[in-house]
Amino acid sequence: MGDPRVVIVGGGYAGATIATSLDAVADVTLIEPKDSFVHATGALRAAVDASWEDRVFFPYNRLLTRGRVVHEYAQAVTSTQVRVSAGRVVDADYLVLATGTAYPFPAKFIESDVLVAKARLARLREALREARAVMIVGAGPVGLELAGELSAAFPALKLTIVDRARDVLTTGDYLPELCSAIRSQLDDRGVAFELGSPLGYLPPVDVGVLAPFTVHTRAGRRIDADVWFRCYGNTPVTDFLVGDLAGARRADGHIAVAPTLSIPGFPTVFAIGDITDIPETKRASAAIAHAHVAAANIRALIDGREPSATHEPAAELVVLPLGPDAGASQVLRPDGAREVLGARETSEMKGIDLFSTAMAQLFSTAAPAAR
Ligand SMILES: Cc1cc2nc3c(=O)[nH]c(=O)nc-3n(C[C@H](O)[C@H](O)[C@H](O)COP(=O)(O)OP(=O)(O)OC[C@H]3O[C@@H](n4cnc5c(N)ncnc54)[C@H](O)[C@@H]3O)c2cc1C
């Protein structure tokens, strides 16, 4: 009998991590339409600086030594089979769902071909060089981080952040000191805030495209800009669940999981990363932690043991750079108390490298696949 077949759907942070973790002990198939992994944490820097593209896109050809990456969309998934295109079916002894969330450009990409994704980024950078004013809709972590990158790279750009909420960072359990630190650093760079009223209507142009427009908030404030970005709406990608797994998808698109990260009623099917309903902020660090738990449990099942690894949601934390040398963070001290750190610590923890060195290491472990 051959090695047990582990099929992983989605090769983001969670899927790529569990694929490498099980490569030595199972017959791993990773199903991922993109030809290169997208390091979303660094994507906003690549939107303003072309030299960052090599630290955001990593080809999959060095990820696995024994297993394979199938560059196709999973179209229909049951607990034992994944149908990709043209009716082709991949059989699974163990199935891992890791399809993450969709988010608007330039934080994430719909393009599967890295050359097309890079061409879109190049057009965006060209638009930003020409633009005089930019509107960001959404004052959450992504909108604020984007404002930080734009204001650091293009200091003359007039930036306006719009949000229906009355303050920044209202969607998480964030300390007031964090909100005021971020707000005052962006104030110092001349960023304008239109808070407390939603836009009456969205601009009639695509995000990231140079096309001057005027919009109004419902409170009647007028905003003129040349480019806009949508920084809200993290949507779970789980619409491919069919047959016995159709009921695993909750109304909001997330998948309910047991503490072992298996789907209740399906001991050989696991869900990890942003698609889970675990009550914690959706983070790459959490997705990677899920991958290690599910990998340990699949190893136990393969060895005939009871799965015993579990995931405990971590307390709210955020490291929010505003470009390479500014920002603020909310972290946990060893005694469990929450603490807000300033620009220097935030740059050292994330802003300078954006965790790109760790991702480069993950994607360069195996020998390149023969072509
Ligand atoms: C701007 C930004 C900054 C961030 N900064 C941080 C940070 O500093 N720290 C942190 O911890 N987190 C950060 N995050 C959050 C982090 O990016 C997500 O939590 C993380 O991407 C979740 O990983 P995942 O593996 O669950 O899903 P994803 O990374 O979204 O990967 C899902 C994969 O599944 C694939 N897929 C989708 N549909 C299918 C299908 N039908 N068939 C096959 N494959 C499919 C996709 O192509 C994708 O590659 C940031 C996010 C953004 C947008």
Side-chain angles (χ1 to χ4, degrees):
M1 227 176 73
D3 283 340
R5 297 162 300 180
V6 175
V7 179
I8 299 155
V9 186
Y13 296 91
T17 303
I18 194 167
T20 50
S21 177
L22 294 175
D23 194 28
V25 298
D27 177 29
V28 170
T29 301
L30 175 61
I31 298 173
E32 165 58 56
K34 293 189 168 67
D35 60 11
S36 296
F37 170 85
V38 178
H39 177 37
T41 304
L44 302 182
R45 183 76 46 86
V48 300
D49 180 349
S51 72
W52 265 78
E53 286 181 355
D54 290 344
R55 295 158 84 174
V56 165
F57 299 104
F58 297 100
Y60 284 95
N61 62 347
R62 284 173 177 261
L63 184 70
L64 300 178
T65 307
R66 302 168 70 228
R68 67 209 63 79
V69 185
V70 173
H71 290 296
E72 304 229 33
Y73 274 97
Q75 292 174 340
V77 178
T78 68
S79 63
T80 53
Q81 289 195 321
V82 177
R83 184 158 57 76
V84 288
S85 58
R88 195 177 145 218
V89 167
V90 183
D91 292 309
D93 299 313
Y94 299 95
L95 178 69
V96 182
L97 305 173
T99 40
T101 37
Y103 199 90
F105 174 80
K108 288 192 174 179
F109 297 81
I110 48 169
E111 293 80 9
S112 293
D113 183 331
V114 68
L115 293 178
V116 181
K118 286 183 178 178
R120 194 170 179 203
L121 276 175
R123 279 198 303 276
L124 168 60
R125 289 188 298 266
E126 187 58 40
L128 291 170
R129 277 190 289 274
E130 304 265 314
R132 281 178 302 167
V134 166
M135 177 179 76
I136 293 171
V137 185
V142 177
L144 297 167
E145 196 169 326
L146 179 60
E149 293 295 344
L150 292 173
S151 53
F154 302 99
L157 207 52
K158 180 170 177 273
L159 288 177
T160 305
I161 303 179
V162 189
D163 201 302
R164 65 177 67 216
R166 292 188 179 282
D167 199 357
V168 301
L169 293 172
T170 56
T171 51
D173 181 17
Y174 301 119
L175 294 167
E177 300 92 288
L178 177 77
C179 303
S180 52
I182 292 290
R183 187 91 190 249
S184 79
Q185 290 181 39
L186 289 175
D187 280 342
D188 289 348
R189 292 184 185 178
V191 174
F193 289 90
E194 287 291 349
L195 301 176
S197 175
L199 283 181
Y201 48 94
L202 291 175
V205 283
D206 199 4
V207 299
V209 171
L210 184 72
F213 61 86
T214 298
V215 287
H216 293 84
T217 66
R218 287 213 192 131
R221 303 277 297 174
R222 173 184 169 139
I223 299 162
D224 298 295
D226 307 307
V227 176
W228 78 287
F229 296 99
R230 181 159 81 78
C231 294
Y232 60 89
N234 213 14
T235 322
V237 183
T238 50
D239 52 357
F240 46 76
L241 296 174
V242 297
D244 59 352
L245 285 186
R249 185 175 192 272
R250 286 187 356 183
D252 67 357
H254 288 108
I255 298 177
V257 287
T260 56
L261 304 182
S262 65
I263 297 181
F266 298 92
T268 57
V269 182
F270 293 77
I272 55 177
D274 278 8
I275 55 169
T276 60
D277 72 341
I278 298 171
E280 63 189 354
T281 10
K282 303 301 177 197
R283 293 192 306 270
S285 53
I288 290 168
H290 300 174
H292 291 303
V293 168
N297 288 332
I298 291 175
R299 261 194 229 104
L301 287 166
I302 290 172
D303 295 346
R305 292 179 282 115
E306 267 302 297
S308 58
T310 54
H311 176 75
E312 288 298 327
E316 193 85 66
L317 63 98
V318 66
V319 184
L320 213 168
L322 298 174
D325 55 11
S329 308
Q330 178 174 312
V331 297
L332 274 191
R333 288 205 306 247
D335 64 3
R338 297 185 300 171
E339 183 180 14
V340 172
L341 303 175
R344 185 178 54 79
E345 294 96 334
T346 301
S347 298
E348 284 167 4
M349 274 190 292
K350 176 175 166 187
I352 293 167
D353 181 62
L354 299 173
F355 308 125
S356 62
T357 303
M359 297 321 294
Q361 274 161 6
L362 178 67
F363 281 88
S364 62
T365 42
R371 290 203 168 250

